[in-house]
Amino acid sequence: MTSTGERLLQKVSATRVFARVAPHCIPALDRAVHRLTRGKVLLSARMLPGVILTATGARSGLPRRTPLACLPEEDGGWLLIGSNFGRPGHPAWTGNLLKNPEAEVNWRGEDIPVRARLLTGEERARAWRAALALWPPYAAYQARVEREIRLFRLERR
C-alpha cells in the first residue's frame, strides 16, 4: 500500500516537466552523495531501490558511472529499466550494456561484477509487470515514447 506522499511523488514523476528536469539533477546529485558517503547513501534510493552501474562506454571504451533505479531480484540479481524518464531516446547506459555486457554495480556500498542481458519476449513481459508494480509511472513513460523501453537483467559473475 502506498502512502499519500508516495502517490504524489509518483504522479509528479510521470509528468513531462519532471522528464525534462530530473535527468539533469537527480543523477548528478546521486553521484555526488554516493561519492561523499563512500557508497553508503544513494538519495534516489529513498524513492526506489538503486545501484550505481559502471559500464564500459560503447564508443569511448571508458568506464561510465550511472546511478539507476533497479528492481532487486530474489536470486541476487537486478532488473534495470531503461526508461530515460520517458524521453524519446534510449539512455546511453543501455547502449553501453548492449556492446559491453560485462559491468559492475555498487549495491549498498559493495562493488559486484555483473553480466547484463537484454530481455525480450515473455521474459521481458514478466519483468515489465514487475517494474510497473514497483513504480507505476513507468507506464506513463512508455506511453510517451515510440521506442520500447529496454529492460536488462543483471546477473552476478
Side-chain angles (χ1 to χ4, degrees), residues 80-127:
L80 297 182
I81 300 98
S83 69
N84 205 13
F85 297 94
R87 296 183 305 163
H90 290 291
W93 64 264
T94 67
N96 295 342
L97 288 180
L98 288 172
K99 183 165 184 185
N100 302 298
E102 305 277 318
E104 183 178 273
V105 293
N106 184 281
W107 170 251
R108 299 180 176 164
E110 180 185 356
D111 292 327
I112 303 166
V114 295
R115 180 171 292 108
R117 188 167 49 82
L118 180 66
L119 301 182
T120 60
E122 183 51 38
E123 185 181 23
R124 185 200 180 280
R126 281 191 308 275

Side-chain angles (χ1 to χ4, degrees), residues 19-152:
R20 279 195 303 271
V21 175
H24 304 289
C25 304
I26 293 174
L29 191 57
D30 263 345
R31 276 190 290 272
V33 171
H34 190 261
R35 187 175 53 251
L36 290 171
T37 63
R38 296 188 177 126
K40 291 181 177 68
V41 177
L42 193 60
L43 287 180
S44 62
R46 303 283 183 219
M47 295 183 292
L48 292 167
V51 296
I52 298 285
L53 172 71
T54 302
T56 302
R59 290 187 299 222
S60 71
L62 299 173
R64 300 294 183 200
R65 291 175 53 84
T66 309
L68 298 168
C70 68
L71 176 58
E73 298 191 299
E74 290 180 16
D75 66 359
W78 298 267
L79 179 66
L80 297 182
I81 300 98
S83 69
N84 205 13
F85 297 94
R87 296 183 305 163
H90 290 291
W93 64 264
T94 67
N96 295 342
L97 288 180
L98 288 172
K99 183 165 184 185
N100 302 298
E102 305 277 318
E104 183 178 273
V105 293
N106 184 281
W107 170 251
R108 299 180 176 164
E110 180 185 356
D111 292 327
I112 303 166
V114 295
R115 180 171 292 108
R117 188 167 49 82
L118 180 66
L119 301 182
T120 60
E122 183 51 38
E123 185 181 23
R124 185 200 180 280
R126 281 191 308 275
W128 182 248
R129 288 189 295 273
L132 291 177
L134 174 71
W135 192 245
Y138 286 137
Y141 298 170
Q142 182 63 78
R144 272 203 305 266
V145 297
E146 292 182 23
R147 67 181 174 86
E148 180 177 73
I149 290 175
R150 292 175 176 162
L151 300 179
F152 287 86

Side-chain angles (χ1 to χ4, degrees), residues 7-20 85-86 135-144:
R7 284 192 301 273
L8 178 60
L9 184 58
Q10 289 177 4
K11 189 171 187 165
V12 168
S13 72
T15 66
R16 290 179 190 277
V17 170
F18 184 85
R20 279 195 303 271
F85 297 94
W135 192 245
Y138 286 137
Y141 298 170
Q142 182 63 78
R144 272 203 305 266

